[in-house]
């Protein structure tokens, strides 16, 4: 009995290491290995290419815009859904969570149906010199859709736990709506907000399918980092493709670590 | 400083909104959701019927469409079936044994969710491709993984794993240990304890994780297209066929596939939320008793 009670945990732990190593660690190592195949210097040089730089710039702009808009909307939604009771709130939650279950390709397609050449408003807007599809606004819209629920989803559970007493007290003491939100609610939910923002940023930087459908793939103009990785990879520029991939992976790993740290410090605070 | 009068307070309590700003924040939320989610999805729902029902029916007479759907659904299902035991193993080890480095392990499980799909795609295609670390080991044995349906399953297994682990983990963490101890004292073997006590408790979260992973899997694009090979009728997944149809300016074809995928994913999600609700109400009853 004692024998088996020791061997099973050891065996399962080894299997776990093996599974994580094979499924998750190996691909990450491969990305770093391929990026550094010709040395660190060569990898950095590929990132200085004009098209690579334009892709990085576009991704930074899109990510910043998307993060700001979805954070503002996400705070409003989480506040509305947790601080008031109203009819239809469950429907609203389902609507907000809907984009998670929509294929990225569909997330790009829906905007084409509105703004594409055969879309409802595409031709009219194009006649007035406004280009949404195959241009930066379309990329922003597609990325907004894909990253839509994350801030609300991370904020809601903690705003729910907070209850409403602090806000009601602030209000009774004469604080207005904005003062209550900014000085009472958000500082307390700060870590959840930060975690949601980080998740939004990470997903926005890396979105591929939705952006691929609507961007038109014009190198140097509408190519974000993930799209440029595809172009490089299909053009057999392996080092350049993996160098840019490594950049995104390093960012993803940092996000994951910061979120884990945030969650742990929050748990300690509340136990 | 303005102090709200008692009557004002009472009337606002009658409306059950003690806090101000309801219409402002609801308005902002509705505007945000309406413009970015409801509007585009309405376009998807209405567009197919714009020119009557015949283009839509015409679009459904397409053997390539059914082949792509079959490939997407079978590969997503196979990936979930592979992920279930692995996810259970990871969650179990993390919660129960907390081996050295379990914090790093825990963080790594989120990586498939955080790494951009195109990056996953090129990494897996290189890893399992002819000259890759794994491909060069498996190919001499006649085991071709990349550019076959097996490649699609590999990509979807990677993508789906965090969904399974993260749905089991909280349930496993909150599972009362004394139940297992009692079973042990009553002479139940390790297998009996797992099979009779843990598995029934873990079935709902396993199913809900499977539903989430499946819904994600049938829509997955970026991580799949590099490793799949993308041959029609063989390794072409449904989301890729949408892209193909769009490149042909065949919007009817694209929207019909999109609607089928969307409805399937939504059904999965409804099933998952039903499951969650029944599980949590079950727990409440247990606590109340």
């Amino acid at each position: 009995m004692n024998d088996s009670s020791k061997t099973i945990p050891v065996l399962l732990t080894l299997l776990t290491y093996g599974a994580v190593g094979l499924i998750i660690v190996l691909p990450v190592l491969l990305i770093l290995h391929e990026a550094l195949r010709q040395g660190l210097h060569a990898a950095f040089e590929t990132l200085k290419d004009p098209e690579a730089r334009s892709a990085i710039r576009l991704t930074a702009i899109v990510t910043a815009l998307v993060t700001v808009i979805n954070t503002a909307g996400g705070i409003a939604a989480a506040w509305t859904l947790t601080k008031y009771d109203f009819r239809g709130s469950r429907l609203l939650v389902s609507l907000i969570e809907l984009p998670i279950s929509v294929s990225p390709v569909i997330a790009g397609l829906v905007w084409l149906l509105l703004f594409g050449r055969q879309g409802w408003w595409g031709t009219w807007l194009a006649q007035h010199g406004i280009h949404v599809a195959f241009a930066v606004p379309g990329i922003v819209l597609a990325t907004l859709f894909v990253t839509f629920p994350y801030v609300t989803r991370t904020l809601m559970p903690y705003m729910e736990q907070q209850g409403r007493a602090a806000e009601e007290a602030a209000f009774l003491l004469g604080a207005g709506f904005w003062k209550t939100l900014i000085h009472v609610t958000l500082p307390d939910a700060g870590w959840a907000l930060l975690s949601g923002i980080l998740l939004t940023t990470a997903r926005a930087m890396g979105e591929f399918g939705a952006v691929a459908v609507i961007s038109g793939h014009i190198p140097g103009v509408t190519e974000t980092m993930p799209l440029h990785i595809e172009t490089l990879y299909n053009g057999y520029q392996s080092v350049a493709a993996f160098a840019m991939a490594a950049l995104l992976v390093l960012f993803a790993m940092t996000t994951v670590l910061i979120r884990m740290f945030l969650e742990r410090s929050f748990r300690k605070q509340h136990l | 400083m303005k102090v709200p009068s008692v009557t004002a307070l009472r009337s606002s309590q009658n409306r059950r909104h003690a806090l101000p700003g309801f219409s402002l924040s609801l308005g902002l939320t509705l505007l945000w959701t309406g413009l970015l989610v409801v509007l585009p999805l309405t376009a998807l729902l209405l567009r197919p019927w714009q020119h009557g029902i015949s283009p839509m029916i015409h679009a459904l007479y397409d053997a390539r469409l059914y082949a792509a759907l079959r490939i997407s659904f079978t590969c997503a299902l196979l990936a979930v079936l592979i992920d279930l035991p692995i996810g259970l193993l990871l969650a179990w080890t993390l919660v129960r044994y907390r081996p050295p480095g379990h914090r790093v392990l825990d963080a790594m499980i989120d990586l498939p969710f955080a790494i951009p799909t195109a990056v996953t795609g090129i990494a897996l295609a290189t890893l399992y491709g002819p000259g890759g670390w794994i491909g060069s080991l498996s190919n001499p044995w006649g085991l071709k993984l990349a550019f076959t349906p097996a490649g699609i399953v590999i990509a979807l297994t990677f993508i789906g794993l965090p969904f399974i682990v993260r749905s089991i983990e909280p349930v496993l963490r909150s599972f009362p240990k004394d139940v297992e101890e009692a079973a042990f004292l009553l002479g139940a073997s390790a297998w009996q304890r797992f099979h009779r006590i843990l598995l029934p408790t873990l079935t709902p979260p396993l199913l809900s994780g499977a539903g989430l992973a499946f819904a994600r899997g049938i829509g997955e694009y970026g991580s799949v297209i590099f490793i799949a090979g993308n041959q029609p009728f063989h390794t072409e997944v449904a989301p890729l066929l949408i892209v193909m149809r769009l490149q042909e300016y065949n919007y009817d074809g694209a929207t019909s596939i999109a609607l089928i995928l969307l409805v399937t994913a939504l059904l999965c999600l409804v099933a998952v939320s039903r499951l969650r609700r029944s599980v949590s109400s079950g727990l409440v009853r247990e606590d109340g008793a």
Side-chain angles (χ1 to χ4, degrees), chain B residues 38 49 51 82 89 128 134 142 150 165 169 185 198 219 250 277:
Chain B
V38 178
W49 325 108
H51 306 295
I82 296 172
L89 169 75
Y128 290 89
I134 295 178
V165 180
E169 228 188 326
L185 289 176
L198 270 167
N250 179 355
R277 217 168 298 149

Side-chain angles (χ1 to χ4, degrees), chain A residues 86-170:
Chain A
F86 58 98
R87 222 184 285 175
S89 62
R90 278 202 15 206
L91 177 68
L92 191 55
V93 174
S94 316
L95 279 177
I96 290 173
E97 296 208 325
L98 201 53
I100 290 189
S101 49
V102 175
S103 164
V105 172
I106 300 177
L109 167 74
V110 289
W111 296 108
L112 270 187
L113 295 178
L114 292 174
F115 299 112
R117 212 178 287 177
Q118 296 177 37
W120 287 351
W121 307 320
T123 325
W124 187 86
L125 283 173
Q127 280 164 1
H128 292 77
I130 302 167
H131 297 277
V132 179
F134 311 125
V136 178
I139 300 177
V140 173
L141 285 173
T143 314
L144 277 171
F145 186 93
V146 172
T147 59
F148 190 82
Y150 294 120
V151 171
T152 316
R153 264 174 79 108
T154 34
L155 263 183
M156 262 183 71
Y158 292 95
M159 281 196 168
E160 198 104 51
Q161 271 182 15
Q162 282 177 350
R164 301 166 190 177
E167 284 82 4
E168 282 164 4

Side-chain angles (χ1 to χ4, degrees), chain A residues 16-17 84-85 103 118 120 203, chain B residues 17 20 47 50 93 100 113 219:
Chain A
T16 301
Y17 286 138
Y84 311 105
D85 303 303
S103 164
Q118 296 177 37
W120 287 351
R203 297 295 292 186
Chain B
H17 302 148
R47 169 82 199 200
Q50 197 172 325
T93 311
F113 191 66

Side-chain angles (χ1 to χ4, degrees), chain B residues 211-239:
Chain B
L212 291 173
F214 182 78
R216 174 81 200 263
I218 57 173
E220 185 56 32
Y221 177 70
S223 61
V224 172
I225 55 162
F226 294 97
I227 197 174
N230 305 332
Q231 281 174 318
F233 297 101
H234 181 51
T235 51
E236 185 179 61
V237 292

